[in-house]
Amino acid sequence: MDIAYVLYPNMTALDLVGPYEVLGHPTVRRHFVAASTGPVRCDNGLTLHADTTFAELPGADVIVVPGSSRWRDALTDTTMIDWLAAAHPSATWTTSVCSGSTLLGKAGVLAGRRATSHWAVRDTLAADGATVVDERVVIDGDVITAAGVSAGIDMALTLAATLWGTETAELIQLALEYAPQPPFDAGTPETAPPAAVERLRAAFS
Amino acid sequence: MDIAYVLYPNMTALDLVGPYEVLGHPTVRRHFVAASTGPVRCDNGLTLHADTTFAELPGADVIVVPGSSRWRDALTDTTMIDWLAAAHPSATWTTSVCSGSTLLGKAGVLAGRRATSHWAVRDTLAADGATVVDERVVIDGDVITAAGVSAGIDMALTLAATLWGTETAELIQLALEYAPQPPFDAGTPETAPPAAVERLRAAFS
């Protein structure tokens, strides 16, 4: 099985690394694909390396698209958008984390589908023909969209169970010791302090 | 404030990227430090980029040490262990995720302290003089150790509250939409299927 992890400038590293760690199955061939091979700088300063170009990799069984805190800039990356549009039809699963779903929307993948995104940008998916859903992981046909950043871990565990069965997904969860204990209850706009919601909604708009 | 993220061959990417994303505060200067600058390949195939060498960076306010599925190999990396031993005394916080605590133990940082690690390797910390604790995030003085892989996110949110206050930590949690919904209840050896526990304990021994 081939998994394509899509890299682009100012992407959010955790959006990609969450699913990557969950989907680290020994049978997987991983491809870190970008416009060109070499370093790709993420929005908080970490640099990842792309080992394959869009031109070299026409598609994969699973596609994982991360988001970015500068998501509007990413929407102008026509090379990446065109690749997503071309690669999606032959993929078994096309997936996104956080604002990565806005890239799928731009590529035409979400038209007529239920989908989600980071809470602060979710509503923009409607312009691409999606039905916006307030759920952490949304499966519609062969497309899975996840909510913001950390939701990629939950998305990938769901996907792992589909690919390899529940027992294997549970083994992965145990390997990652994924029994989260957030020290605060502020992970959604419903539970966070209103000032934080306002501030982030403005920052991501 | 300077944060040093320690990179080494076959490290687990999510151990580092979880805290890195949480601690992405605008006032932070991030240093991705390794034996030499350039690419560092992680245990599941992703390559990260080190921008500073141990020789160039004598220390930092916060040190973050990730673990590795090949943690015993990492314990032979004397350059890294020596750097941890030398950098720790002047750090405000020395932290680890997953088996990263075995590196702190080897560097003498955990002697006489309460500490944790990935559940499957936790007990080995006793040989370095630590009191092994079955908690997800363990604070003892200026050292914070976290349980396996995903626990780095919880650790870093706790640290963020200490560094910048609860309001800022809650803002970060909301930005990462960290309201986890694991699809299975298999994240600890107490809740996972016994066969998974046995298999991973053997793999990590």
Side-chain angles (χ1 to χ4, degrees):
Chain A
M1 177 184 303
D2 291 274
I3 302 186
Y5 295 98
V6 176
L7 274 62
Y8 59 92
N10 293 315
M11 58 172 276
T12 300
L14 185 52
D15 293 9
L16 183 144
V17 173
Y20 148 86
E21 213 67 85
V22 171
L23 301 173
H25 196 273
T27 61
V28 167
R29 286 177 298 271
R30 298 157 201 86
H31 307 274
F32 301 99
V33 61
S36 55
T37 58
V40 178
R41 196 171 188 278
C42 298
D43 53 5
N44 271 330
L46 177 65
T47 297
L48 310 181
H49 273 256
D51 56 20
T52 311
T53 67
F54 291 128
E56 287 166 349
L57 189 78
D61 300 301
V62 176
I63 298 169
V64 179
V65 184
S68 165
S69 54
R70 300 183 207 168
W71 62 281
R72 287 195 189 275
D73 293 347
L75 290 173
T76 66
D77 186 337
T78 52
T79 304
M80 175 166 60
I81 305 283
D82 289 350
W83 185 84
L84 291 172
H88 161 64
S90 60
T92 307
W93 294 101
T94 298
T95 75
S96 67
V97 180
C98 199
S99 62
S101 55
T102 65
L103 297 165
L104 294 183
K106 186 84 171 177
V109 172
L110 299 185
R113 293 186 196 263
R114 300 168 73 249
T116 194
S117 191
H118 189 284
W119 62 267
V121 309
R122 207 165 51 203
D123 290 345
T124 68
L125 295 179
D128 296 310
T131 302
V132 178
V133 179
D134 178 10
E135 290 169 17
R136 192 156 174 86
V137 176
V138 177
I139 306 177
D140 189 323
D142 55 0
V143 175
I144 316 182
T145 52
V149 196
S150 60
I153 298 174
D154 296 329
M155 182 278 283
L157 279 170
T158 302
L159 177 57
T162 303
L163 295 172
W164 304 306
T166 301
E167 271 184 38
T168 297
E170 289 176 330
L171 184 88
I172 294 165
Q173 184 179 358
L174 179 60
L176 302 183
E177 206 161 344
Y178 187 49
Q181 293 177 10
F184 311 103
D185 184 17
T188 69
E190 289 74 29
T191 58
V197 177
E198 274 178 49
R199 193 167 148 193
L200 288 175
R201 202 183 288 281
F204 283 109
S205 69
Chain B
M1 176 183 304
D2 291 275
I3 302 186
Y5 294 97
V6 176
L7 274 61
Y8 59 92
N10 293 314
M11 58 173 277
T12 299
L14 184 53
D15 293 10
L16 184 144
V17 173
Y20 148 86
E21 213 66 85
V22 171
L23 302 172
H25 195 273
T27 62
V28 167
R29 287 177 297 271
R30 298 157 201 88
H31 308 275
F32 301 97
V33 59
S36 53
T37 58
V40 177
R41 195 171 190 277
C42 298
D43 55 3
N44 272 331
L46 178 65
T47 296
L48 309 181
H49 182 87
D51 56 20
T52 312
T53 67
F54 291 127
E56 287 166 347
L57 189 79
D61 300 302
V62 176
I63 299 169
V64 179
V65 185
S68 165
S69 55
R70 300 184 207 167
W71 62 281
R72 286 194 189 277
D73 293 347
L75 290 173
T76 66
D77 186 336
T78 52
T79 304
M80 175 166 59
I81 304 284
D82 289 351
W83 185 85
L84 291 172
H88 161 64
S90 60
T92 307
W93 294 103
T94 299
T95 75
S96 67
V97 180
C98 198
S99 62
S101 55
T102 66
L103 297 166
L104 293 184
K106 185 86 172 179
V109 172
L110 300 185
R113 291 186 197 263
R114 300 167 73 250
T116 195
S117 191
H118 189 283
W119 62 267
V121 310
R122 207 164 52 204
D123 290 346
T124 68
L125 295 180
D128 296 310
T131 302
V132 178
V133 178
D134 178 11
E135 290 170 17
R136 193 156 173 87
V137 176
V138 177
I139 306 178
D140 189 325
D142 55 1
V143 176
I144 315 182
T145 52
V149 195
S150 59
I153 298 172
D154 296 329
M155 183 277 283
L157 279 170
T158 302
L159 177 57
T162 303
L163 294 172
W164 303 306
T166 301
E167 270 184 38
T168 298
E170 289 176 330
L171 184 89
I172 294 166
Q173 183 179 359
L174 179 61
L176 303 183
E177 206 163 344
Y178 186 48
Q181 292 177 11
F184 310 103
D185 183 17
T188 69
E190 290 73 31
T191 58
V197 177
E198 275 179 48
R199 193 167 146 193
L200 288 175
R201 203 183 287 280
F204 283 109
S205 69

